[in-house]
Amino acid sequence: MLESADNPRQADTWDREFHILMFNACGNEVLKAFSTVITTLFQNEEYRKKYWHPKTIRQLAKEHSSILEAIKQGDCDLSITRLENHLGFKKMGIFAKDAYLVQTMDR
């Protein structure tokens, strides 16, 4: 995505792929199903244009990298915190950790 900072449509494709990968890797069937909503949002060019500035693309790529690094380190709490920050969950009053805890309790 970072290499595509000057090509917003290509960067958007990488952004979408990152989010779909995260949904599919989470093991939560409800979130996996939500990936179709993400795909629909990414097809809405008017909605996506706000993310097409090279500076924004670079920031999003940095956030994706930091999420992946926390996952590679096996730091679940840090991964969740970075994902919440990236998605703006805290602004909406939604916390990924709550969903994660519910999911792991069901196992």
Side-chain angles (χ1 to χ4, degrees):
M1 186 173 165
L2 187 57
E3 293 82 14
S4 301
D6 294 322
N7 182 348
R9 285 188 173 82
Q10 181 60 47
D12 218 39
T13 298
W14 292 121
D15 192 15
R16 182 189 70 232
E17 292 301 315
F18 173 82
H19 287 274
I20 290 172
L21 177 66
M22 291 290 107
F23 279 125
N24 290 331
C26 74
N28 182 313
E29 294 302 318
V30 174
L31 290 178
K32 284 182 186 179
F34 190 69
S35 68
T36 59
V37 173
I38 292 296
T39 300
T40 301
L41 282 175
F42 274 86
Q43 290 172 348
N44 182 337
E45 193 170 290
E46 284 306 308
Y47 173 78
R48 293 301 303 164
K49 280 184 180 180
K50 63 186 170 189
Y51 299 103
W52 285 6
H53 189 280
K55 184 177 178 179
T56 303
I57 293 169
R58 284 190 286 277
Q59 177 60 37
L60 293 174
K62 182 180 173 183
E63 292 173 13
H64 290 178
S65 292
S66 73
I67 293 164
L68 290 174
E69 190 57 39
I71 291 169
K72 288 179 189 176
Q73 293 172 5
D75 191 330
C76 185
D77 289 334
L78 183 58
S79 300
I80 289 170
T81 297
R82 289 180 177 174
L83 188 58
E84 287 176 339
N85 290 337
H86 174 66
L87 297 175
F89 279 4
K90 291 179 182 178
K91 293 177 192 170
M92 295 183 286
I94 302 170
F95 296 94
K97 192 170 198 167
D98 295 335
Y100 173 77
L101 291 173
V102 169
Q103 177 194 347
T104 56
M105 293 169 112
D106 291 340
R107 288 185 183 171

